[in-house]
Structures are given as structure tokens and as C-alpha cells.
Amino acid sequence: MRTSLLLLLLLLWRLVAPACTIVSGTDRRGQTWAMNNEDFFHTASNYVNVFPATDKNSLGYITFTYGSPESGIQGGANEAGVFFDINALPPQKDKLRHGRQPFPHGSMLVYLLQHCQSVPQFLALWDTYYMPDMGDVQLHIADRQGNLAVIAPDTIVRATQQLTSTNFNVCETGPAKQTCWRYPIAQRLLATQGVSQQSLVQIAQETSEREFTTTVYTNIHNLTTGDIWFYLAEDYRTAWHTNIHTLLQQGKKNILLASQFPQNASLTLTKLLHNQPRTDLVEQFLRTSRLSDQEKESVLRLTFLNCFYIEKDFAQASVLFPIWERYMGVNPRLDSTEVQFTKAEVLATQGRYQAAVQTLQTVKKPSWKTAALLRNLLKQEPDNVSLALAGFLQAKAVAVEFKGEYNFLRFLQKTPKGWLLRMKTDRPELKYCYYVDGKRVLSQSQPVLPHQETVKGDFAPFNLLKL
């Protein structure tokens, strides 16, 4: 049982953990650079948050967040030329906290940005403290003096010339690194081209996920000069070039990253479909867009993922998926099992449960997700919990989303009085919300938790069921 539970936790980690490729290094002129690909489900609501220094003892800095300026920090840099970003990892045993105290001054990452002039200054804190909320991640940090490091759960890896991290523990050797396809690409390009703005753009482009987890944005920093280049949604031809010192001079502010890319194709398509989710509008957009087939696939995929998994706009997603399906062949990174699973989810949100079941039954290489969704739709799941939603008898479909399960929906069955889901869980409590034909709904019969962070990164209420 413990082995099965651990396997399930590992699979769930692969399902929901944000990925990224982080590279830092020094160029031939002695300037230090850092690059991050932020990989997740595509969203048009990423923020660059600007915090000028509050007094002579603090530093100005910027952070990057999903969905809301108040959501969890994904990365950041300060005016002294210190940069950090985070790789998610499979479940780890954190050995670094042994013999150390929890950091007593709030967020250790915010403290890093507000007070640390260099990587060694921050690493000195680790002689005494650890981050209580570090979780299953590793921290990649760099500074303008050329000090590079990755703080992993096992140890601290230091470097001065080049350093690459992706979603494996940097303490691992051999097979662990080889199984991450992004790592050898980044290492090869660093070896052949060195460190520069151009080489980091190429690394970002070649390690872009382009799957069901996509590269939401890329940020490239010259830590010596303060220059920053942002790229959005797999488009590496158009950059927002700014400078951290320029941003800080403008005062405290929150910048919607999408606002700096008014011509971005996926954002344009999203706006086009906002009020009129129609197939002919998508077809017309593609005809007049002057995009290659590979670019059309990217735009359709990014727009679909944003509609379906982030915004839960199932009407738009239903229009986009069959059109995207026509272009999937040009993207060799797409997994056929994941495609079929997603197609079944889309069909189920339309109330076409039988068609969804047929789609899942034709999967050649079933996964735990396809098997779980099939049991859900066939009402064959072992159960120890029931969720009931009264009313909504005219709805085509009702789905439930559990907080933390970002791309796995469960579907309810219609009853004479409403909708019912029977399922099995070992959790002590469930935080959840319903989607009735794509409209977010809470049950009036269960307690409500306000202001909970969502997959988008904003905040909304969830029902709570204690078990």
C-alpha cells in the first residue's frame, strides 16, 4: 500500500509541478547572465512586480508571479545584480535543514532580494537557517560578480563559469541528468556557443516544452548591466527589452506581462474568442495570420490550454481542440496518450460521456490518468466519499476540480435531484469547486474557504469537506 501511494504521489507531482530550465554563466567580457524558461499551463496573467528600495539599508527588486501580484513568487532579481529562480523536483528528503533553524524574518526569498548583494552573502545564511516553505524544489541563484549556485535538498552546488538546472536534483549523477531531455541541449549549446544574450535565446527556444506543459514566458538577465529581455508564449522573435534600474525608477507597480506583447498571436486569438467562441472565427484567424503550420499548432495549443485548464472556459476549448487536432502532427513532442486523455476530458465537459469513454478505450498506451478518468465516467471507481450538488438539472455536464489537481477533472453523474460523484480518497480533507457547463459553482451545503490560490494564481473561494 505504501509503495502504491508513493507511486501515485510521484505521478501527481509529474501532473502538476511547474517545470523550468535555468541557466547562468559568465561571458567572455566577464558579464554574468541568467536565463529562465517558466513552464506551466499557458496563462495570459503573469506579472512583473516592481519594489523600489524602502530605505538606505534595503535594495530595490522585481518578482515574477502567476495570476496575481500577491500569489507565490516564481523568481526575481534585485538592483545589486542578484537573481534567483526555482526548479520543482520530485518528492525529496531535505537534508539541508538538519542542524539549522527556520528562517525567522519572513520569506527568505524576499529577504534575499531586499538585502543580499551577492550569492556568498545569501549562502552564509544557510550556515544557520533553512527555508521552512522550501518544499520539493531547488533554488538556482547567480550574481553580477559571477558567483553561481544551486541549493538542492541534499547539498549546495557552486560554480563560477556556467551552471544549468532543470527538474531533477543537481546532486544526482548520470541517468538522472540524461533522462531530462532539456539538460543536454542546454549543456551542448553552452559548450559550443558560450554565454550571451543570443545563445540564451537559442537555449530557451530549444528547451521550450511545447507539450501540455508549455513555456509560459522566458526571462533573460544581464546581471552586470541590469538589462532584461522577456519573451512570451513560445515566441522568440519578439522581446520586451527593459532594465531593472529603469523599472525601479518608475516606482512600485505591477506590470501585466501580456500588456507588453499586444501583437502576440495566442493572446489575439484568446481575445477574439472571448465573446464569440466560433469555429469560423478561428479558421479566419489562421488563414490571415501568415503563420507556419508549426506556429499555428503552437498558438492553438497555447490558447486551448489557457481556455481549458486555466480559465475553465469549456466553450472556447471545445471550439479550439478539433482545430488544434488537425495540426498536432507537426509537433513531435506531443504524447498521444495525453492527447487522447485531453480529448476525452473535452468531450466529457460537453456532456458526451459515451464518446469520451470510447476515446479512452482506444488508447494504445493507457496511463493512470486515462484509467482513472475511464473508471470515473463508467462509475466503476471504488468509493469512500460522495459529493452531491443539488439542482442544475438542465446542465450538460458537471465537473469537480480539487485544489492542487490542475489538469485532472472528475465528472458527476446526473440524479433525479442533481449531480453526484462517488470516489475514493485518503486525504483528510478536500478543497474543491464545481464547474456547471463551464461556470464555476460552489455547493451551499458545505463550508466555504475564502481567498484560496487557484491554478491561475489568483484567489477564489473553495468548498471544504473534512473527512
Side-chain angles (χ1 to χ4, degrees), residues 12 14 66 74 76 99 101 241 274 279 350 363:
L12 283 173
R14 292 171 185 166
Y66 290 131
Q74 304 300 316
Q101 304 171 24
H241 180 196
H274 182 67
T279 300
Q350 301 168 359
V363 174

PDB file of all heavy atoms in Angstrom, residues 12 14 66 74 76 99 101 241 274 279 350 363:
ATOM      1  N   LEU A  12       1.326  12.268  -9.472  1.00  0.00           N
ATOM      2  CA  LEU A  12       0.671  13.557  -9.279  1.00  0.00           C
ATOM      3  C   LEU A  12       1.664  14.692  -9.361  1.00  0.00           C
ATOM      4  O   LEU A  12       1.364  15.765  -9.886  1.00  0.00           O
ATOM      5  CB  LEU A  12      -0.052  13.582  -7.932  1.00  0.00           C
ATOM      6  CG  LEU A  12      -1.367  12.829  -7.874  1.00  0.00           C
ATOM      7  CD1 LEU A  12      -1.878  12.783  -6.440  1.00  0.00           C
ATOM      8  CD2 LEU A  12      -2.400  13.449  -8.784  1.00  0.00           C
ATOM      9  N   ARG A  14       4.292  14.765 -11.286  1.00  0.00           N
ATOM     10  CA  ARG A  14       4.529  14.989 -12.710  1.00  0.00           C
ATOM     11  C   ARG A  14       3.361  15.720 -13.347  1.00  0.00           C
ATOM     12  O   ARG A  14       3.510  16.456 -14.305  1.00  0.00           O
ATOM     13  CB  ARG A  14       4.748  13.644 -13.414  1.00  0.00           C
ATOM     14  CG  ARG A  14       6.054  12.969 -12.995  1.00  0.00           C
ATOM     15  CD  ARG A  14       6.128  11.561 -13.526  1.00  0.00           C
ATOM     16  NE  ARG A  14       7.314  10.863 -13.040  1.00  0.00           N
ATOM     17  CZ  ARG A  14       7.497   9.568 -13.125  1.00  0.00           C
ATOM     18  NH1 ARG A  14       6.571   8.802 -13.670  1.00  0.00           N
ATOM     19  NH2 ARG A  14       8.601   9.019 -12.653  1.00  0.00           N
ATOM     20  N   TYR A  66       2.349  34.311 -10.936  1.00  0.00           N
ATOM     21  CA  TYR A  66       1.226  33.868 -11.772  1.00  0.00           C
ATOM     22  C   TYR A  66      -0.062  34.523 -11.294  1.00  0.00           C
ATOM     23  O   TYR A  66      -0.334  34.571 -10.097  1.00  0.00           O
ATOM     24  CB  TYR A  66       1.012  32.359 -11.650  1.00  0.00           C
ATOM     25  CG  TYR A  66       2.053  31.473 -12.270  1.00  0.00           C
ATOM     26  CD1 TYR A  66       2.594  30.413 -11.545  1.00  0.00           C
ATOM     27  CD2 TYR A  66       2.477  31.661 -13.567  1.00  0.00           C
ATOM     28  CE1 TYR A  66       3.533  29.566 -12.099  1.00  0.00           C
ATOM     29  CE2 TYR A  66       3.426  30.816 -14.135  1.00  0.00           C
ATOM     30  CZ  TYR A  66       3.948  29.770 -13.400  1.00  0.00           C
ATOM     31  OH  TYR A  66       4.878  28.940 -13.958  1.00  0.00           O
ATOM     32  N   GLN A  74       7.626  33.239  -8.245  1.00  0.00           N
ATOM     33  CA  GLN A  74       8.241  32.242  -9.109  1.00  0.00           C
ATOM     34  C   GLN A  74       9.730  32.504  -9.328  1.00  0.00           C
ATOM     35  O   GLN A  74      10.484  31.586  -9.631  1.00  0.00           O
ATOM     36  CB  GLN A  74       7.524  32.216 -10.466  1.00  0.00           C
ATOM     37  CG  GLN A  74       6.035  31.963 -10.380  1.00  0.00           C
ATOM     38  CD  GLN A  74       5.712  30.638  -9.738  1.00  0.00           C
ATOM     39  OE1 GLN A  74       6.327  29.620 -10.035  1.00  0.00           O
ATOM     40  NE2 GLN A  74       4.741  30.629  -8.841  1.00  0.00           N
ATOM     41  N   GLY A  76      12.972  36.088  -9.279  1.00  0.00           N
ATOM     42  CA  GLY A  76      13.181  37.504  -9.048  1.00  0.00           C
ATOM     43  C   GLY A  76      14.630  37.910  -9.228  1.00  0.00           C
ATOM     44  O   GLY A  76      15.527  37.077  -9.420  1.00  0.00           O
ATOM     45  N   GLY A  99      20.239  20.513  11.655  1.00  0.00           N
ATOM     46  CA  GLY A  99      21.131  21.346  12.428  1.00  0.00           C
ATOM     47  C   GLY A  99      20.950  22.834  12.214  1.00  0.00           C
ATOM     48  O   GLY A  99      21.739  23.630  12.716  1.00  0.00           O
ATOM     49  N   GLN A 101      18.139  26.341  11.869  1.00  0.00           N
ATOM     50  CA  GLN A 101      16.906  26.902  12.401  1.00  0.00           C
ATOM     51  C   GLN A 101      16.038  27.416  11.266  1.00  0.00           C
ATOM     52  O   GLN A 101      16.548  27.845  10.229  1.00  0.00           O
ATOM     53  CB  GLN A 101      17.226  28.058  13.351  1.00  0.00           C
ATOM     54  CG  GLN A 101      18.158  27.721  14.488  1.00  0.00           C
ATOM     55  CD  GLN A 101      18.577  28.964  15.242  1.00  0.00           C
ATOM     56  OE1 GLN A 101      17.890  29.976  15.225  1.00  0.00           O
ATOM     57  NE2 GLN A 101      19.726  28.885  15.900  1.00  0.00           N
ATOM     58  N   HIS A 241      12.355  44.392 -24.070  1.00  0.00           N
ATOM     59  CA  HIS A 241      13.688  44.668 -23.526  1.00  0.00           C
ATOM     60  C   HIS A 241      13.572  45.837 -22.559  1.00  0.00           C
ATOM     61  O   HIS A 241      13.159  46.931 -22.933  1.00  0.00           O
ATOM     62  CB  HIS A 241      14.658  45.013 -24.654  1.00  0.00           C
ATOM     63  CG  HIS A 241      16.055  45.301 -24.184  1.00  0.00           C
ATOM     64  ND1 HIS A 241      16.984  45.939 -24.981  1.00  0.00           N
ATOM     65  CD2 HIS A 241      16.684  45.041 -22.993  1.00  0.00           C
ATOM     66  CE1 HIS A 241      18.119  46.068 -24.316  1.00  0.00           C
ATOM     67  NE2 HIS A 241      17.956  45.528 -23.106  1.00  0.00           N
ATOM     68  N   HIS A 274     -13.241  35.490 -26.959  1.00  0.00           N
ATOM     69  CA  HIS A 274     -13.771  35.763 -25.628  1.00  0.00           C
ATOM     70  C   HIS A 274     -15.294  35.855 -25.612  1.00  0.00           C
ATOM     71  O   HIS A 274     -15.960  35.269 -24.752  1.00  0.00           O
ATOM     72  CB  HIS A 274     -13.173  37.047 -25.069  1.00  0.00           C
ATOM     73  CG  HIS A 274     -13.623  37.365 -23.681  1.00  0.00           C
ATOM     74  ND1 HIS A 274     -13.275  36.596 -22.593  1.00  0.00           N
ATOM     75  CD2 HIS A 274     -14.429  38.354 -23.191  1.00  0.00           C
ATOM     76  CE1 HIS A 274     -13.825  37.092 -21.508  1.00  0.00           C
ATOM     77  NE2 HIS A 274     -14.537  38.151 -21.831  1.00  0.00           N
ATOM     78  N   THR A 279     -16.084  28.464 -34.523  1.00  0.00           N
ATOM     79  CA  THR A 279     -15.077  27.821 -35.351  1.00  0.00           C
ATOM     80  C   THR A 279     -14.654  28.706 -36.514  1.00  0.00           C
ATOM     81  O   THR A 279     -13.460  28.793 -36.846  1.00  0.00           O
ATOM     82  CB  THR A 279     -15.620  26.479 -35.874  1.00  0.00           C
ATOM     83  OG1 THR A 279     -15.930  25.627 -34.764  1.00  0.00           O
ATOM     84  CG2 THR A 279     -14.614  25.796 -36.776  1.00  0.00           C
ATOM     85  N   GLN A 350     -18.651  18.504 -22.503  1.00  0.00           N
ATOM     86  CA  GLN A 350     -19.803  18.741 -23.372  1.00  0.00           C
ATOM     87  C   GLN A 350     -20.979  17.837 -23.011  1.00  0.00           C
ATOM     88  O   GLN A 350     -22.040  17.909 -23.642  1.00  0.00           O
ATOM     89  CB  GLN A 350     -19.413  18.498 -24.832  1.00  0.00           C
ATOM     90  CG  GLN A 350     -18.283  19.381 -25.337  1.00  0.00           C
ATOM     91  CD  GLN A 350     -17.730  18.910 -26.676  1.00  0.00           C
ATOM     92  OE1 GLN A 350     -18.173  17.899 -27.243  1.00  0.00           O
ATOM     93  NE2 GLN A 350     -16.756  19.633 -27.192  1.00  0.00           N
ATOM     94  N   VAL A 363      -7.205   4.076 -26.411  1.00  0.00           N
ATOM     95  CA  VAL A 363      -5.829   4.469 -26.092  1.00  0.00           C
ATOM     96  C   VAL A 363      -4.924   3.245 -26.146  1.00  0.00           C
ATOM     97  O   VAL A 363      -5.193   2.229 -25.496  1.00  0.00           O
ATOM     98  CB  VAL A 363      -5.766   5.128 -24.696  1.00  0.00           C
ATOM     99  CG1 VAL A 363      -4.313   5.392 -24.301  1.00  0.00           C
ATOM    100  CG2 VAL A 363      -6.553   6.427 -24.687  1.00  0.00           C
TER     101      VAL A 363
END
